[in-house]
Amino acid sequence: MTAREDSDKLLPQSLRQEFCVSGQTLWQWRTAARQQAITANISAEEVDWLLQDLAGLDRLSLRLETFKDRAEILLCLPLSELTTLWEHRIQDRVPVQYLTGVAPWREFLLNVSPAVLIPRPETECLIDLAIAAATPPPDSPLPTSLLTHGHWADLGTGSGAIAIGLATAFPAAMVHAVDYSAAALAIAQSNAQKLNLADRIRFYEGSWLQPLAHLKGKLSGMVANPPYIPSQMVPDLQPEVARHEPHLALDGGMDGFDCLRHLVAAAPDYLQPGGVWLVETMTGQAIAVAALLQQQGSYHQIQIYPDLAGIDRFVLAYRH
C-alpha cells in the first residue's frame, strides 16, 4: 500500500489533507527512523526520500537539519500514519518507492505501485544505447531519419519508463508500449499523461509483439527489459523484490531465457532492415544472448554493453 493510499486514498496533491508538526518533533522522528534503517541494513537516505514526498522538505534542509528550527511543518498525513508507513518499510521490507507511490528515473518522477517493477538506474542505459544506435552502422540500409522518426516498441513496459525515455529521446517517433498486465498499463498510461507524452505513446495489452501485428516489418527499434531471472532464484531475491515486486516481470523460466529466446526469434518479423534489437539481461547472460542472436541468422553488428557497475548487461543488434 502506498503512502497516498494510506492518506486520502490516492487523492490528487491539491486535495491532500495537511497535518502540522513542529520541526523539532519531525527532527526527533527522523533521527529515530534513520537509526532504525541502519539497524535493519536499509539506507538511511530512504527516510529523507519519504520526508521529501510527504513533508515537502528539500534535500538541503534535510542534510543541514535546518528544518528542525521551524515552528511548524505541514505533512500530508498524521505523524502516527507516517510512523506506520515506516514500520512497513522496516518490518515488511516494502520498498520505499511503493510507500511514496513514486520513483525517480532519468529526469522523470514516475508513478509506481506493486503492479510494476520499480525502474532501476541501470535500465536508464537502455535509452542512452538507443540514442547511440540511432546513428546506424555504415552498411545499414535504414536511414537515420527512420530510426529517429519511425516506430519503436517497448515490450513489457511496466511503469512505462522505457517508453517515456524513448518518446523523450525521439520526439518525432511513435512509441508502442506493450504489457501483459492491465494494471501495469494503467500505471504506464498515467505516467505518459502526467508527462504530456500520451499523444506519442500507444499502449497495448498483450504478450510481447503479438498486439503489434499491424507493424510487422515496420519497427525501427525494439527495446525490452524482460523477465530474465531463473524461476528457482526468484524466492531468494532481496525481500523487497521477492515479496513485493510482480513475479510476472521477474521470472524468466527455468533457465531465465524463456522471454529472451522468444524476443530473439520473433523480432525479425517486425523489425525493418537495419532496425535495432536491444534488451537488458541478467549478470552472466549477455554472451549467451549474443550467441542466440548470431545463431538466429537475422542479425548483425551484435554488441554487448556494460551497466553502471561495469557488468555486461545489455545486448544490441541490427536486423539484416
Side-chain angles (χ1 to χ4, degrees):
M1 179 171 288
T2 69
R4 296 188 180 105
E5 286 172 329
D6 272 355
S7 176
D8 296 314
K9 302 299 181 183
L10 282 170
L11 282 176
Q13 181 77 32
S14 61
L15 297 181
R16 284 188 186 182
Q17 190 173 355
E18 293 179 333
F19 301 86
C20 287
V21 296
S22 70
Q24 186 68 26
T25 296
L26 194 60
W27 175 78
Q28 292 172 344
W29 184 93
R30 175 180 180 264
T31 301
R34 287 174 66 88
Q35 185 55 54
Q36 288 177 322
I38 293 168
T39 302
N41 198 29
I42 291 171
S43 172
E45 296 304 311
E46 292 191 11
V47 179
D48 290 355
W49 189 351
L50 203 61
L51 291 178
Q52 286 177 65
D53 184 68
L54 301 179
L57 298 175
D58 60 75
R59 293 171 66 182
L60 184 61
S61 67
L62 286 163
R63 181 165 62 85
L64 299 179
E65 298 188 339
T66 54
F67 70 91
K68 71 179 179 181
D69 298 324
R70 289 165 55 177
E72 62 178 34
I73 294 172
L74 297 179
L75 303 177
C76 66
L77 74 174
L79 190 62
S80 60
E81 291 186 19
L82 179 60
T83 300
T84 299
L85 281 180
W86 187 243
E87 288 173 353
H88 285 319
R89 177 70 187 105
I90 298 296
Q91 297 172 12
D92 303 328
R93 310 299 285 203
V94 178
V96 68
Q97 295 93 333
Y98 290 158
L99 293 178
T100 63
V102 294
W105 194 80
R106 290 182 76 84
E107 67 267 39
F108 315 112
L109 193 62
L110 301 177
N111 298 333
V112 294
S113 82
V116 301
L117 286 183
I118 297 165
R120 268 53 172 190
E122 57 266 26
T123 303
E124 296 182 14
C125 296
L126 282 172
I127 306 303
D128 297 322
L129 291 170
I131 293 170
T135 302
D139 60 342
S140 171
L142 189 65
T144 299
S145 62
L146 289 183
L147 284 167
T148 57
H149 293 64
H151 296 275
W152 286 77
D154 170 23
L155 304 179
T157 193
S159 65
I162 293 172
I164 286 165
L166 290 172
T168 303
F170 305 128
M174 178 59 70
V175 180
H176 304 269
V178 180
D179 205 286
Y180 194 76
S181 165
L185 281 174
I187 294 289
Q189 287 177 300
S190 74
N191 283 319
Q193 290 166 358
K194 180 172 71 170
L195 296 167
N196 297 315
L197 293 170
D199 61 331
R200 292 197 284 111
I201 305 175
R202 295 175 182 168
F203 295 92
Y204 308 80
E205 183 178 347
S207 177
W208 303 119
L209 289 154
Q210 181 184 12
L212 304 182
H214 62 292
L215 292 172
K216 280 191 175 182
K218 297 179 181 178
L219 288 181
S220 299
M222 182 223 78
V223 184
N225 178 17
Y228 50 63
I229 299 171
S231 301
Q232 69 273 17
M233 292 180 61
V234 172
D236 298 325
L237 296 171
Q238 288 180 302
E240 286 84 350
V241 179
R243 294 184 198 171
H244 301 288
E245 298 203 60
H247 286 198
L248 180 67
L250 296 168
D251 192 336
M254 288 299 294
D255 63 355
F257 281 83
D258 283 3
C259 301
L260 291 163
R261 274 190 292 264
H262 175 77
L263 294 174
V264 168
D269 289 339
Y270 292 81
L271 289 170
Q272 298 188 50
V276 173
W277 188 96
L278 175 59
V279 300
E280 180 175 325
T281 69
M282 182 179 173
T283 303
Q285 291 178 332
I287 292 176
V289 171
L292 287 172
L293 289 163
Q294 188 66 48
Q295 293 163 12
Q296 203 281 335
S298 298
Y299 305 94
H300 69 128
Q301 297 284 326
I302 300 166
Q303 301 156 66
I304 294 172
Y305 294 93
D307 64 13
L308 301 172
I311 298 168
D312 287 343
R313 176 79 62 183
F314 310 101
V315 185
L316 182 148
Y318 292 90
R319 173 78 162 90
H320 273 309

